[in-house]
Amino acid sequence: MTPLLYLLAIQAADPEVIDRIPSGYSHFVIPFTVGITFMLCWIGVGCVRLLAAIPKADRIKFWKSLLIPKTIVKNLRDLFGDCLFHVKIWMRKPLLGYMHSAIAFGWFMLIVLGHIEVALFVPARLNVTRGGLFYPIFYRYFVWVNPGHTTLRGSFFFFLMDFFLLYVLSGIALAVFKRFRSIVLGMRHTTKPSLADRIALYSLWLIFPLRLLAESFTADLSGGSFLTVGVNHFWHFLFGDKLWFTPCWWAYSICLGLFFAAMPFSRYMHILTEVLWILLRNAGIQPNHPRKGVAEAEIYACSSCGLCLDACPMNVQKKNLKYSSVYFIRFLRRHNEKKINAIADKCLMCDKCHALCPVGVDAPALRRAQRATVNDTLPYDYSYLPLAVPGSILAGETTATLGTLRGGTGASLGDASGGAERSEAVERPKVLPGTVSNNKVLYFAGCMTHLTPRIIKSVEKVFKEAGVEYEFADRDGGICCGRPLMLAGKAEAASKVIEANKKLIEGSGCGTLVLSCPICYKIFKEEYHLEGIKVVHYTQFINELIASGKLKVEKSEKKIVYHDPCELGRGCGVYFEPRAALDQVGTLVKAAKEYDESVCCGGSLGSLTLDTRDRAKISESSLENLLAGDPETIVTACPLCLKTFSEAVSNSRLPIKNVAVKDFAEVFCR
Amino acid sequence: MKNNILIIGGGPAGLEASAQLQRMGYNVILIEKSPKLGGHLAKWDRLFPDSVQAEEVLGRLLKGAEGVKCFTDTDVRAINRLDKSYNVRLTNGITVLSDAVLVASGFDLFDAVKKEEYGYGIYDQVMTNADLEAYFKSGSDRRIEKPGKIGFAHCVGSRDEKSGCRSCSKVCCATAVKQAIEMKQAFPDAEVFCFYMDLRLFGRHYEDIYLKAQKEYGVRFIRGRVAEVSENYDGTLLVKAEDTVAGKPLKVTLDLLVLMAGMRPSASGKAIGDLLEMSVEEDGYFAVRSGIAAGQRSPIPGIFLAGAATGPKTLPETLADARAAAMEVDRYLTEIFPDAKNYKQLVRERW
Amino acid sequence: MIYEGKQKIWSDYQKEIPDDHYFYVRSCIRQSFFPASEATFLDITRNKLGKDIFETEHHTTCGGIAYHSDTIPQETVMTIIARQFALMAKNGYENYVCSCITSFGLYCETMETWREYPELEAKIRENLWKSCKLEFAKPKFLIHASDLIYKYRNQIAAQAVRKLVNVHTGEPLKVVEHIGCHYSKMFPSKGVGGAEYPYVLVGMVEAWGGEIVDYPERRHCCGFGFRQYFIKGNRGYSLSNTHKKFESMEPFKPDLIITNCPGCPYFLDRWQYVIAESTGKTYGQDGHGIPALTYEEVAGLVMGYDPWDLGLQTHQVGVEPLLDKMGVPYDPSKKYLGKNGKDIGEPLPCACLK
Amino acid sequence: MVDFGFGLVPSSRINLDLFDREKYEKLVAMEPDAKICMACGSCTAVCTAGQFTPTSLREAIEDVFNAKDDKALEALKACQLCGKCSMVCPRGINTRHLILSITKVYSKK
């Protein structure tokens, strides 16, 4: 006989569970009911407000997304994976993942199973008017198990409930332990809780032990399994027959009430907001304001878990902890403008906190949005840009017009020779419309690469060796790609730069655009929308040259460590190609942290306010990270990283012996 | 080997050389024209770049020179060269027969009155670096009463051929930066400006105090020499210069202007040089045998030079120069002087 | 201001000024704009003090205006000067006194150039011989007419009928002195008191009972600047220069400006009118201007000359408030009567300047 | 008023008495590096925008000090924030933030 059939057979018999209190109510439920009602009202109003603040087009997009099967699958996967099982944390820090999932999934199961129990045994009580709000929660208080009719079905649920309670309790135990010794769970730094956080936290800690206490006190009436019954016997052994269970249920209810009342003001709001955020995120809606609309869901989805504290490269110095994303979000919630701005400006925008965030909160994007509130409206004058980039007009004309432009604006300098030199510089850009055929390659070095001429030299050498026909777009200097403006929150200004560069690139008629600067690469790839032009980073391009046999390389025993530049790795997901190529010329050794956990070099343009000393500290720690595998050569693929590491190596106080810092292309030069 | 050595000048160079020579066992006679030992150091309050008390440094120098026969308020009246030694008649009536003479006559501060356009001695609110040090020492000066805007004019009497000095006085830039910081410390609300032609902060830690002056004290450095100063109706000063970095003339109203008077060859040193018929170079400082290889030897055998007598020097340079001079004196008195028979030839070869 | 400090500098810059026997040359501008000043100079020195001051109608301009306007070369101007020196020598004089500061500066410049480059002097000697068949001798003493009045300041004070004092309050008049740029700025040693704190006019004012006011822009040019004035497009520049001086002296409330240069009294006078009429700003009391007088005019006033004989009616800025302050008697009806009672015409009234 | 065909011309002289200390204090509170420039001109030499139109952080800092606020903004208006200047500054001045801060503090809006 299968268990299922057995269960069905039992159902027909006498009621297994009897409503012990006919009214289905006791005063002790008040704290809980008040708390949860308050919280539900709060979140209800919040949801409406939030959705109202989203632009109409986005709102429609959101509702539609809930019907798209692909998104539905993704939503379900993310809701279970991120909210309940905390897969992302599991993958990085198993013990911490266990802790989070024990509390989240365990509690979730307790609630679900509780409701199933009610639905099975006293279905009438699910009705809200008959106590549906609290009855399933305090089910064990209100029922009496008919001792003569205990069934396997009942025992099964008793067992499950006890099991999940134990599961949650183990998570809570770890959480309490983590408060004091976080490092054991893999966290160097933890967040400093606010007052509401503390109230909610201590309530949360107490909820489950109290639940155990309450349910174990009533276990001889309302039944239980290995845990509650076992503990019940222990109480009887200790106190005899006199068990005053009412105070325990009161305490349990009060803790629950306190927790829910404090929830909207604490980090635990994430438990519910996360759901909304995942749905909005998967709908593909981007925040356009650091606080309003989608951003609100995002900032309330932050659980303040503090994983971003250890992720942040700035936190090599303890004084910089306050600039971490978790605090940024906390101050966003509190509308503390001064602190928000300070934190937003400090960040290196390395994106590691985003990559590591269990709920995928894109704090760097919020920071950009925050910067935009201050910087986007600052005055600028880019009227010279169309004349600075010759792509759109014939070169001759450009020179003439530019000459006039300079004659006009440069007159105040009163330097005739300087003027002449300048106009000479204008004549130089040689990329004329249509001169490059479609299979031709256009190389754009970018501003920063011009400060590291060895990159340019190496790239050209490699191109020559591999017989690549190419044009050098900005041999004599061009304009900026716009990414630094974006990072500073000046999107509108960036769009002007993008427009001007776009004309240059499209006007060149090239088929492939190669970039040696990841900063350029990211924005060219994401914002330029170059029709029919393949945008590749030189690491990808060189890897392809090697794979296709155009570039001959020789393997050596040289130990190479590769540094993932933030904008290339986390920014564009390019991890594989550079390593594949480097593997052909040397022996790759591992850094302590790699791929999406790689540590920013400290030279990032993302930060607006970080000073040189703080940057040097970051560079030093990043360098230390790279030296874990005792490499002979550090290879990076970004002019900023290259310059930063070169300086860091020469200024470092670490006992570094003969470590060369090389650019990616340099390694392939013979 | 108790040779007599006469050291002329009781400033840092004279004191340090006395101490060294005395340690070597010589009989040192130190004369100082003023009533007090210490030279300019005795008038200074704190020293760049570390702001040590001048008194402390002077105390150490004096301690080192304890036991040296010392005549203050004493100058040289006449000096005769004997066969090898010098017969020196002092103004206090004493005559010294000295086997070697070390001239450490130091420098005079440029007389700022000569820069008429700056109005020192004419405008109430113009003072010199030395006046300011005196203020720091005494705590009072009629010109200083909560100044709101203070200017420092570098190169007063230095790098100024019209004032008779083409060269740099070496110490003024660092002194100006030091004094600017000290004034900001005394008057935190004041705005302080330094008018310079070039900032010659060459020594160790000098750049640090420059950075400190900018970063911590907000001192404004303006590249441009003060050209003229006038007095406003309310007694404040109207200072004109060019901001050569901006390429524009500039004016500012100041409550106090401090002139960084440079170094000039000492007048009393020159008098001694005249007695000895010792040659001076175009800049007025004593000529040396070789600027690089023999910077402490004068062209006259047995006459040595130390400190600012041979050109502007910082205090550490002066002390090092004095020690070097002591070594040179010792070398002369042990290797050349005792050999009466070959003295002339040795002098020809080794002086 | 520390007076003793200035005295010390003054004592450093003293030049030798012979007492008598001078060859006098006039100023082009002064002859045209303030002819009475030169007449007064000759009257005071010759008739009041009994000095031998010789002048000849054969002397010409020194060429300074053309030279400083870059229209004639240096050799030409030097030859003109050499001719003046020849006239002096021909008439048996060794002491040369000129009325004009531009000339004085140019003579100094020429003599210094000849001292540095004797071959140039030889060449000029040749030029002069070729062009005029004249030979010159360099003056033994070259002085400016204001040097001479400075020299005689105490004698003048002895003959004075009044002082530079406000007769109503008994307070000394506040006087601003303005020295022509070319008096001592090029060669500080050639001027009485040097270039920074020239004493030549200060000495006169002190001797005659006035009080000198030092204002910040006292060194600044009057605004003449030759080309700056001659070309209309540059005149705003000239005006702005003068304006800067007035703005700077305004807080000191001067009663009078005393000058020793041809252009300065002219520009310090006329530009007050232009500033007043184009901006409405006046610098004297109650909408009046500050009278800008020559040192001869001031000497004449203290010696009791009639103001209209001194040519004070030729100034744009009215002198009446000053005359009232000094207690100088004058007949307003005779202001615009010329030398022989001829009506010289009255200017139109100004809108802003009283 | 009479038109003479010429008039007073504005002075190009820097007048430090016009220096707005309050605004400046605001700037250095925002970006203290404004104080430590030594006018070497490296920033101007490498400037991306400076290839095409007069742009100079060095000049802007100078202008701020010299009470020429409008000129400071003028010298920075073409800046693309590319950050080359921050790489070459020998004093490690946070140039991009300084540029943003000057624009923030001194722009009229």
Side-chain angles (χ1 to χ4, degrees), chain A residues 257-510:
Chain A
L258 263 180
F259 177 75
F260 287 118
M263 199 162 141
F265 313 106
S266 78
R267 59 201 231 181
Y268 298 99
M269 197 59 188
H270 81 271
I271 298 171
L272 296 168
T273 324
E274 224 177 299
V275 176
L276 183 62
W277 158 238
I278 287 171
L279 299 180
L280 285 164
R281 184 184 78 192
N282 288 349
I285 301 168
Q286 288 291 321
N288 51 6
H289 186 278
R291 259 207 59 86
K292 292 179 192 150
V294 191
E296 187 144 27
E298 195 166 359
I299 61 177
Y300 279 100
C302 167
S303 68
S304 255
C305 68
L307 282 174
C308 51
L309 290 172
D310 285 348
C312 184
M314 288 195 290
N315 292 346
V316 61
Q317 282 174 291
K318 215 172 168 189
K319 68 169 176 110
N320 287 334
L321 276 171
K322 57 178 178 286
Y323 298 116
S324 298
S325 295
V326 56
Y327 294 116
F328 175 59
I329 285 166
R330 180 181 290 181
F331 290 123
L332 270 178
R333 284 189 200 174
R334 291 184 191 169
H335 295 263
N336 188 331
E337 284 302 323
K338 214 176 153 194
K339 282 191 175 162
I340 298 170
N341 280 327
I343 301 177
D345 286 352
K346 194 67 94 178
C347 171
L348 287 158
M349 299 285 190
C350 75
D351 216 37
K352 191 165 167 184
C353 54
H354 176 209
L356 265 55
C357 180
V359 281
V361 171
D362 191 352
L366 292 177
R367 282 175 151 114
R368 267 202 311 279
Q370 179 60 36
R371 288 177 183 184
T373 61
V374 185
N375 295 342
D376 203 27
T377 50
L378 291 179
Y380 63 89
D381 179 1
Y382 289 168
S383 53
Y384 66 95
L385 284 183
L387 300 170
V389 177
S392 55
I393 19 178
L394 286 172
E397 273 175 62
T398 315
T399 312
T401 344
L402 251 181
T404 340
L405 173 82
R406 271 174 202 148
T409 48
S412 60
L413 296 175
D415 178 9
S417 63
E421 202 182 289
R422 276 154 179 253
S423 53
E424 190 197 338
V426 191
E427 288 168 33
R428 276 181 274 172
K430 289 189 195 78
V431 190
L432 306 182
T435 54
V436 185
S437 68
N438 210 38
N439 56 10
K440 272 198 186 165
V441 169
L442 186 68
Y443 171 52
F444 184 91
C447 305
M448 285 301 173
T449 310
H450 279 285
L451 284 179
T452 44
R454 57 175 163 151
I455 298 183
I456 294 178
K457 225 176 147 187
S458 312
V459 168
E460 291 202 275
K461 250 184 172 175
V462 168
F463 281 1
K464 229 166 259 171
E465 231 167 274
V468 178
E469 270 187 74
Y470 72 99
E471 286 285 338
F472 194 157
D474 56 342
R475 185 186 295 282
D476 300 300
I479 58 170
C480 182
C481 61
R483 176 77 182 151
L485 281 167
M486 285 284 228
L487 286 170
K490 285 175 75 73
E492 196 209 295
S495 69
K496 297 273 183 342
V497 177
I498 291 172
E499 199 185 319
N501 265 328
K502 209 172 151 173
K503 275 183 185 159
L504 167 81
I505 309 293
E506 285 177 346
S508 76
C510 68

Side-chain angles (χ1 to χ4, degrees), chain A residues 538-617:
Chain A
Y538 73 148
T539 52
Q540 297 168 312
F541 193 72
I542 291 175
N543 184 47
E544 217 173 283
L545 290 178
I546 297 169
S548 62
K550 282 183 189 147
L551 185 68
K552 303 271 178 291
V553 289
E554 259 171 59
K555 176 103 181 161
S556 81
E557 293 300 304
K558 214 169 192 117
K559 287 203 279 181
I560 297 174
V561 69
Y562 172 70
H563 168 76
D564 290 289
C566 304
E567 295 275 64
L568 188 65
R570 284 183 290 266
C572 300
V574 178
Y575 296 112
F576 164 74
E577 294 95 325
R579 285 186 170 79
L582 288 173
D583 213 25
Q584 306 288 312
V585 287
T587 311
L588 270 175
V589 297
K590 280 194 175 311
K593 284 175 183 161
E594 291 191 306
Y595 299 92
D596 64 348
E597 290 206 40
S598 115
V599 185
C600 173
C601 70
S604 163
L605 280 178
S607 175
L608 295 177
T609 52
L610 205 63
D611 67 25
T612 26
R613 282 189 197 184
D614 283 1
R615 282 177 186 271
K617 286 259 163 44

Side-chain angles (χ1 to χ4, degrees), chain D residues 12-39:
Chain D
S12 66
R13 185 179 289 278
I14 294 160
N15 185 353
L16 290 185
D17 296 345
L18 302 176
F19 177 66
D20 187 340
R21 202 166 167 190
E22 211 172 291
K23 258 190 181 176
Y24 172 72
E25 294 295 343
K26 224 168 119 185
L27 173 69
V28 293
M30 217 178 257
E31 185 46 75
D33 284 358
K35 298 192 278 190
I36 59 170
C37 171
M38 49 182 183

Side-chain angles (χ1 to χ4, degrees), chain A residues 71-82 278-279 282:
Chain A
T71 319
I72 294 171
V73 172
K74 193 162 187 270
N75 280 343
L76 284 173
R77 194 191 66 203
D78 284 357
L79 286 174
F80 275 89
D82 291 353
I278 287 171
L279 299 180
N282 288 349

